[in-house]
């Protein structure tokens, strides 16, 4: 409490001092300097002269670049349509005109009351009148030109693939500039930005984590296991070096706790000393078991995976996140980094409905070594390939940003399965 | 194991100890085996993480000006890159990163790609290209790169053509890039035939015109002396069907696009023909024929002239459209009292009603992929463009306005173009396109008023 008061006092004092001395009440009243721009005066006659000299902008010319193509084309069959001058006027029409006969589209606008939007039905529905008497000034008679679709158009012809693309070196620019100092070759590899983004210190965070793990286990176990020698208390931390296995930590004391619980009836039946002996025997057996299981360095991490997998999964979003030794926080972090980068907006409708499972292999530096599609469902192989590439892009980009995986769990995350399930965000 | 110091002098102690010893002797190796098994199991079992919330947004990409190899290719190199960018960005699926954001450029087509520079500006795909000009000939080559993984996306391609056809080559490049990234066919190297309109609404003049899908290269096919409606491309794009009022009555005409020669199909006296469309085989035309006050659907073999009546009902049957496999025909009929959409076998037969919602449905058009049928819907005084599955499910309305009508499919079945007419005496018709997801609605640039678009197949 005193410390709190002291900190509060210091804070307030520094705030007051800053307000008094830091220029809070001495606002800079200087107005910014104005910038002057020189302007030359032009008389009206000069302006008229300039305007008249300026090139006129034509209002036509929809596409200037394609004009040559249009003009180059000869006009051989300019008016194939004109042969029937106007026989439409007399229109001997024997048949009764149906109102909606002219065109399917013509039937559509009719129901709407107020608009008379489509007058093509209007013109069409009455067969007798000739709808095109007055030639408008704008459209000159059709400059009909042959379409370039068929014969003489220069067709772009697909050619065989060009020579192989060069080996994708990272970036000349980057390699040339600062890298070359021979003292530290590692620096040449690290300048990529993602290196700095993934600060994950490799071996340093190890000490604090084991301290956290045994604490959890110790608080539950120590009261019961107090009589046995302190060897057991040393063994417990050794067998669980990482806190990542929270379920493991929870599961670990259980076997220790159960024997003591079973030892209690024995103690009640006979003697407390004998109870201690029996617990000592059980503890010794357990120690032998623990030593056997812990003989392999990875075995300690594998004692939990099954139970841990399900529990870590439940800690996620509810699906099968079976992180062997990745805790729910790490799994969520992966989702947080990679998920927003998974963009299916440019996929085909089919590809955007495919769920892809891929195996991602990472290097110790958390860079992607390889990504391979393991499984897919919901579409064709070709579409699955597109869906896979979209997901792969997300993985690569996420790795570039930094996955923040713990380096001492490399054995766990060096190979992972990612499933990209599109069922919640499907395009149609 | 158990040390002698633990031995108390209690009864049954010896037995217990021996039992413990034997138990430990058995459990020890067993536990060792279990531990090893667990170790192997852990190695086999990998962390499995599921991602289930994809992002749907345009993919950022970069397409620097193509490299001009040889003199005279500078303009083409720039223009082709711009057309490629317009094509891709126009789909709504891609977002171009402006060139001002580039950290590095592409000095040479074969130079290594500085992936880090493109990653830094968040480009996910990079398109590089080069243009060689020799005389009147252009050679355009390009490559795609997946910036994130730092690898090429497929092999590079190159196209050769005359300098005049640079736009088509640009569309080809865009088609290849689009197809490679999205996984579905492109539609940029295609054309659209439409009715160009001019003059006031009460004296509108109409003539057929054709243009690139993006509105460039407009060319007129007919004059304005006769009203023309409903042009439709043949499956090979070399012929166009349309309805002409040149005789005063609607008649289906067939135009050869190579020389613009036309012929009237099935010129029976006292009849009217309209709403034509090709069958997928390119030899059969399906259309409506009105005779004695009743209109039905017929097919006509263009080669032999054989005419077959498919429907025989007192109602109006019109707007037929073949399924892509040619086995079925979807059409519009008011046999139920209001316009609805029906499907029948291509050889005729009992139709099945497809539309079931409120309002009227018309102008159905089968998608080239066969998965959807586009239609015009009228309801509550408004017009809609929508799509529905051929089995009648998944009906979705994509647009709504005062007057939207006449949908036509892009060659890849992903985009729909249609006519939108504005309200009022000064209103005019324009062309719009929309993605079948309902996104990316935008107007297609035309020289003037335009209606009745029909998309061509992808050009060869």
């Amino acid at each position: 409490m005193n410390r709190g008061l002291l900190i509060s006092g210091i804070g307030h004092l520094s705030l007051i001092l800053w307000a008094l001395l830091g220029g809070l009440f001495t606002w800079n009243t200087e107005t910014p300097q104005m910038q002057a721009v020189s302007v030359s005066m032009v008389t009206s006659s000069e302006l008229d002269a300039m305007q008249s000299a300026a090139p006129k902008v034509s209002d036509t010319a929809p596409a200037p670049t394609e004009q040559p193509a249009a003009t180059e084309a000869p006009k051989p069959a300019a008016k194939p349509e004109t042969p029937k001058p106007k026989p439409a006027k007399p229109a001997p029409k024997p048949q009764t005109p149906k109102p909606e006969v002219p065109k399917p589209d013509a039937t559509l606008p009719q129901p709407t009351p107020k608009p008379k939007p489509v007058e093509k039905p209007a013109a069409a529905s009455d067969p007798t009148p000739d709808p095109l008497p007055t030639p408008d000034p704008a459209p000159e008679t059709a400059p009909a030109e042959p379409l370039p679709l068929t014969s003489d158009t220069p067709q772009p012809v697909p050619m065989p693939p060009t020579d192989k693309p060069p080996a994708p070196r990272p970036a000349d620019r980057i390699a040339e500039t600062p890298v070359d100092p021979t003292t530290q070759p590692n620096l040449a590899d690290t300048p990529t930005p993602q290196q700095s983004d993934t600060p994950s210190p490799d071996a340093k965070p190890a000490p604090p984590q084991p301290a956290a793990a045994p604490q959890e286990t110790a608080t539950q176990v120590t009261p019961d296991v107090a009589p046995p020698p302190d060897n057991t208390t040393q063994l417990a931390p050794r067998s669980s070096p990482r806190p990542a296995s929270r379920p493991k930590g929870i599961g670990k004391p259980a076997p220790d706790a159960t024997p003591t619980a079973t030892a209690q009836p024995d103690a009640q039946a006979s003697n407390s000393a004998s109870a201690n002996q029996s617990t000592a025997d059980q503890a010794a057996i357990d120690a032998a078991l623990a030593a056997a299981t812990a003989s392999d360095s990875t075995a300690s991490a594998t004692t939990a995976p099954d139970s841990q997998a399900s529990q870590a999964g439940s800690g996620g979003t509810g699906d099968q996140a079976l992180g062997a030794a990745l805790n729910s926080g790490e799994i969520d972090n992966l989702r947080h980094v990679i998920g927003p980068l998974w963009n299916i907006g440019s996929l085909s409708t089919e590809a955007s409905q495919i769920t892809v499972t891929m195996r991602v292999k990472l290097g110790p530096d958390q860079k992607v070594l390889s990504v391979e599609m393991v499984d897919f469902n919901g579409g064709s192989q070709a579409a699955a390939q597109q869906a896979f590439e979209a997901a792969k892009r997300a993985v690569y980009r996420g790795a570039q940003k930094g996955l923040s995986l713990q380096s001492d769990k490399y054995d766990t995350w060096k190979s992972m399965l990612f499933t990209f399930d599109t069922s919640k965000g499907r395009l149609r | 194991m158990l040390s002698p110091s633990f031995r108390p002098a209690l009864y049954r102690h010896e037995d217990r100890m021996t039992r413990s010893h034997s138990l430990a002797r058995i459990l020890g190796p067993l536990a060792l085996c279990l531990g090893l098994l667990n170790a192997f199991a852990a190695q086999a079992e990998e962390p499995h993480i599921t991602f289930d919330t994809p992002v749907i947004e345009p993919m950022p990409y970069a397409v620097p000006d193509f490299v001009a190899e040889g003199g005279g290719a500078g303009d083409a190199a720039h223009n082709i890159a711009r057309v490629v960018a317009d094509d891709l960005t126009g789909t709504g699926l891609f977002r171009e990163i402006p060139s001002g954001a580039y950290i590095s450029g592409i000095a040479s087509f074969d130079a290594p790609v500085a992936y880090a520079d493109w990653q830094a500006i968040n480009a996910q795909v990079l398109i590089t290209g080069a243009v060689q000009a020799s005389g009147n000939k252009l050679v355009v080559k390009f490559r795609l790169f997946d910036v994130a993984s730092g690898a090429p996306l497929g092999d590079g391609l190159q196209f050769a053509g005359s300098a005049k056809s640079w736009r088509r080559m640009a569309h080809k490049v865009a088609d290849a890039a689009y197809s490679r990234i999205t996984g579905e066919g492109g539609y940029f190297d295609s054309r659209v035939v439409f009715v160009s309109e001019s003059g006031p609404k009460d004296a509108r003049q109409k003539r057929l015109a054709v243009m690139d899908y993006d509105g460039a290269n407009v060319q007129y096919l007919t004059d304005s002396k006769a009203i023309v409606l409903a042009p439709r491309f043949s499956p090979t794009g070399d012929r166009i069907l349309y309805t002409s009022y040149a005789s005063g009555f609607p008649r289906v005409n067939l135009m050869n696009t190579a020389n613009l020669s036309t012929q009237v199909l099935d010129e029976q006296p006292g009849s009217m023909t309209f709403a034509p469309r090709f069958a997928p085989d390119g030899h059969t035309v399906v259309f409506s024929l009105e005779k004695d006050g009743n209109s039905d659907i017929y097919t006509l073999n263009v080669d032999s002239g054989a005419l077959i009546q498919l429907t025989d009902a007192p109602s109006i049957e019109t707007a037929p459209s073949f399924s892509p496999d040619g086995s079925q025909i979807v059409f519009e009929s008011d046999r139920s009292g209001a316009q609805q959409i029906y499907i029948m076998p291509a050889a005729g037969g009992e139709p099945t009603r497809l539309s079931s919602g409120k309002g009227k449905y018309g102008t159905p058009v089968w998608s080239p992929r066969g998965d959807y049928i586009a239609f015009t819907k009228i309801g509550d005084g408004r017009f809609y463009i929508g799509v529905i599955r051929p089995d009648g499910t998944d009906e979705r309305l994509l647009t709504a306005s005062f007057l939207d009508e006449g949908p036509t499919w892009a060659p890849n079945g992903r985009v729909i173009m249609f006519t939108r007419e504005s309200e009022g005496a000064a209103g005019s018709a324009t062309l719009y396109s929309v993605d079948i997801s309902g996104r990316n609605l935008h107007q297609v640039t035309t020289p003037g008023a335009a209606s009745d678009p029909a998309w061509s197949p992808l050009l060869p």
Side-chain angles (χ1 to χ4, degrees):
Chain A
M1 293 178 60
N2 289 337
R3 178 178 291 179
L5 285 174
L6 185 62
I7 291 172
S8 174
I10 291 172
H12 281 83
L13 186 61
S14 59
L15 180 64
I16 291 168
L17 287 175
W18 173 75
L20 291 175
L21 306 175
L24 180 62
F25 302 115
T26 59
W27 295 104
N28 185 7
T29 55
E30 292 179 5
T31 55
Q33 288 188 346
M34 295 184 64
Q35 293 182 348
V37 177
S38 62
V39 176
S40 59
M41 303 298 291
V42 178
T43 64
S44 61
S45 59
E46 290 173 341
L47 180 63
D48 292 340
M50 290 166 60
Q51 286 180 339
S52 61
K56 278 191 175 175
V57 178
S58 65
D59 51 353
T60 57
T65 51
E66 70 241 6
Q67 279 304 86
T71 52
E72 279 176 19
K75 305 180 179 179
K79 21 186 155 176
E81 196 56 67
T82 45
K84 304 173 182 176
K86 276 189 184 176
K89 270 265 177 187
K93 73 164 228 61
Q95 57 277 92
T96 58
K98 235 177 182 181
E100 13 227 50
V101 158
K103 183 181 170 265
D105 300 342
T107 59
L108 296 176
Q110 285 180 355
T112 55
K114 54 178 179 194
K116 38 172 185 179
V118 186
E119 86 298 50
K120 43 188 169 179
S125 57
D126 42 2
T128 44
D130 181 23
L132 37 103
T134 59
D136 234 32
E140 67 279 357
T141 48
E145 297 154 359
L147 286 176
L149 299 179
T150 51
S151 59
D152 51 349
T153 48
Q155 311 274 353
V157 178
M159 303 294 284
T162 53
D163 42 350
K164 279 189 257 179
R169 293 179 297 163
D172 290 339
R173 202 170 57 72
I174 294 178
E176 284 170 4
T177 44
V179 170
D180 282 337
T182 56
T183 55
Q184 286 185 345
N186 287 339
L187 290 178
D189 297 334
T190 49
T192 50
Q194 56 271 24
Q195 287 280 4
S196 59
D197 291 344
T198 58
S200 63
D202 290 340
K204 301 214 168 123
Q209 289 155 352
Q215 209 165 11
E216 273 187 358
T217 58
T219 51
Q220 295 177 355
V221 173
T222 41
D224 295 335
V225 195
D230 49 359
N231 289 339
T232 54
T233 57
Q234 289 177 354
L235 283 175
R238 262 188 240 138
S239 62
S240 60
R242 283 289 145 214
S245 52
R246 183 191 193 112
K248 177 189 165 199
I250 295 171
K252 186 78 179 171
D256 289 343
T258 45
T260 55
T262 53
Q264 293 287 355
D266 285 344
Q268 288 174 358
S270 60
N271 196 359
S272 63
S274 68
N276 284 339
Q277 293 300 335
S278 64
T279 53
D281 294 345
Q282 296 284 353
I285 294 170
D286 290 337
L289 289 173
T293 52
S295 61
D296 208 51
S297 62
T298 58
S300 62
T302 60
T303 50
D306 295 333
S307 62
Q308 176 189 356
S310 59
Q311 294 181 15
S314 64
T317 57
D319 46 10
Q320 67 281 17
L322 302 176
L326 296 180
N327 58 36
S328 59
E330 291 166 321
I331 291 172
D332 285 345
N333 182 62
L334 284 174
R335 286 199 183 99
H336 191 68
V337 171
I338 295 175
L341 303 175
W342 177 34
N343 181 11
I344 64 170
S346 60
L347 290 181
S348 69
T349 49
E350 183 187 5
S352 62
Q353 298 176 9
I354 292 178
T355 294
V356 174
T357 298
M358 58 175 61
R359 174 171 287 110
V360 179
K361 293 188 176 176
L362 301 174
D365 56 357
Q366 302 188 23
K367 288 184 178 176
V368 179
L369 297 179
S370 69
V371 180
E372 60 172 341
M373 183 162 60
V374 175
D375 190 19
F376 72 92
N377 59 57
S380 65
Q381 174 73 38
Q385 183 64 26
Q386 308 303 323
F388 165 66
E389 287 181 357
K392 189 174 76 170
R393 275 192 283 272
V395 173
Y396 272 100
R397 294 175 65 204
Q400 288 160 10
K401 285 191 167 191
L403 299 177
S404 301
L405 295 165
Q406 296 183 23
S407 56
D408 50 356
K409 290 187 186 174
Y410 176 61
D411 283 342
T412 300
W413 51 256
K414 66 182 178 185
S415 178
M416 292 184 283
L417 291 175
F418 288 171
T419 292
F420 291 86
D421 182 0
T422 58
S423 57
K424 287 188 182 173
R426 279 182 178 163
L427 281 174
R428 294 197 296 177
Chain B
M1 304 297 260
L2 295 177
S3 68
S5 60
F6 284 138
R7 294 181 176 242
L10 291 175
Y11 65 100
R12 289 190 295 175
H13 163 70
E14 295 295 334
D15 292 342
R16 192 172 290 172
M17 284 304 293
T18 50
R19 255 185 286 152
S20 297
H21 271 290
S22 59
L23 198 61
R25 216 172 281 150
I26 294 170
L27 287 180
L30 186 64
L32 186 61
C33 293
L34 283 175
L36 291 175
L37 279 175
N38 275 337
F40 285 125
Q43 281 186 348
E45 186 175 359
E46 301 160 304
H48 190 171
I49 302 173
T50 298
F51 302 86
D52 57 6
T53 51
V55 175
I56 299 176
E57 60 186 17
M59 171 191 281
Y61 74 99
V63 51
D65 279 357
F66 284 12
V67 178
E69 297 180 344
D75 287 345
H78 170 77
N79 293 336
I80 287 174
R82 288 301 85 214
V83 170
V84 171
D86 290 344
D87 285 348
L88 294 178
T89 305
T91 64
L93 306 181
F94 302 91
R95 174 174 60 82
E96 186 190 11
I97 295 175
S99 59
Y102 295 172
I103 296 174
S104 62
I106 303 296
S108 165
F109 183 64
D110 293 323
V113 174
Y115 289 112
D117 290 348
W118 301 103
Q119 289 167 0
I121 62 172
N122 197 31
Q124 295 184 29
V125 169
L126 172 68
I127 304 172
T128 66
V131 179
Q132 293 174 347
S134 59
N136 193 31
K137 190 177 177 185
L138 286 182
V139 176
V140 180
K141 50 188 178 181
F142 77 101
R143 288 194 188 107
L144 284 177
F145 297 95
D146 186 337
V147 174
S149 60
L153 265 175
D155 293 326
L157 284 176
Q158 67 180 20
F159 301 96
S162 74
K164 213 169 54 177
S165 63
W166 67 269
R167 277 189 126 267
R168 283 203 60 195
M169 287 190 277
H171 289 318
K172 290 277 188 196
V173 171
D175 274 332
Y178 176 91
S179 179
R180 184 65 188 81
I181 297 170
T182 66
E184 61 192 358
Y187 59 91
F188 308 123
D189 188 24
S190 62
R191 312 206 77 185
V192 173
V193 61
F194 63 100
V195 175
S196 174
E197 302 185 3
S198 59
K201 260 192 169 181
D202 55 351
R204 188 67 54 90
Q205 295 191 349
K206 302 185 176 188
R207 50 184 179 160
L208 290 188
V210 67
M211 63 181 183
D212 292 354
Y213 95 99
D214 56 359
N217 284 330
V218 175
Q219 292 174 293
Y220 296 97
L221 306 178
T222 65
D223 58 24
S224 56
K225 292 182 178 176
I227 283 186
V228 288
L229 297 172
R232 307 284 182 243
F233 269 109
S234 69
T236 50
D238 57 348
R239 291 165 294 165
I240 293 175
L241 287 167
Y242 64 100
T243 304
S244 172
Y245 281 78
S247 66
F249 298 98
R251 297 272 186 226
V252 173
N253 283 239
L254 177 63
M255 173 185 285
N256 187 325
T257 57
N259 54 18
L260 300 188
S261 62
T262 60
Q263 69 176 98
V264 179
L265 294 183
D266 191 53
E267 197 167 12
Q268 297 181 22
S271 69
M272 294 186 279
T273 55
F274 50 92
R277 200 178 289 271
F278 274 100
D281 63 7
H283 299 287
T284 305
V285 174
V286 62
F287 58 97
S288 287
L289 188 149
E290 193 270 353
K291 189 189 291 183
D292 300 329
N294 184 32
S295 69
D296 279 302
I297 292 176
Y298 290 73
T299 56
L300 174 72
N301 188 300
V302 178
D303 303 327
S304 66
L307 185 69
I308 301 174
Q309 183 174 358
L310 300 184
T311 63
D312 185 12
S315 51
I316 297 175
E317 278 74 37
T318 187
S321 172
F322 272 95
S323 62
D325 61 0
S327 65
Q328 292 177 296
I329 294 175
V330 61
F331 64 99
E332 158 194 335
S333 171
D334 63 354
R335 62 183 61 198
S336 68
Q339 294 159 272
Q340 297 293 337
I341 298 175
Y342 295 82
I343 293 180
M344 67 176 174
E350 190 60 31
T352 305
R353 181 168 162 174
L354 181 68
S355 56
S356 57
K358 289 174 62 179
K360 300 177 180 177
Y361 294 76
T363 65
V365 190
W366 218 305
S367 158
R369 295 198 300 211
D371 54 351
Y372 279 104
I373 292 170
F375 58 82
T376 302
K377 180 177 181 178
I378 312 165
D380 302 327
R382 289 174 71 78
F383 283 68
Y384 308 86
I385 299 295
V387 293
I388 189 172
R389 296 272 185 194
D391 60 1
T393 62
D394 197 16
E395 176 183 337
R396 288 183 283 127
L397 300 180
L398 308 179
T399 73
S401 84
F402 166 71
L403 176 55
D404 286 351
E405 65 172 345
T408 180
W409 288 95
N412 67 350
R414 175 76 189 243
V415 181
I416 291 173
M417 193 180 290
F418 60 96
T419 304
R420 170 166 289 184
E421 187 150 342
S422 53
E423 192 172 3
S428 64
T430 49
L431 302 186
Y432 275 75
S433 71
V434 64
D435 190 274
I436 59 166
S437 62
R439 301 181 181 89
N440 197 35
L441 173 71
H442 68 266
Q443 185 176 351
V444 179
T445 304
T446 52
S451 62
D452 270 351
W455 222 309
S456 82
L458 209 57
L459 299 181

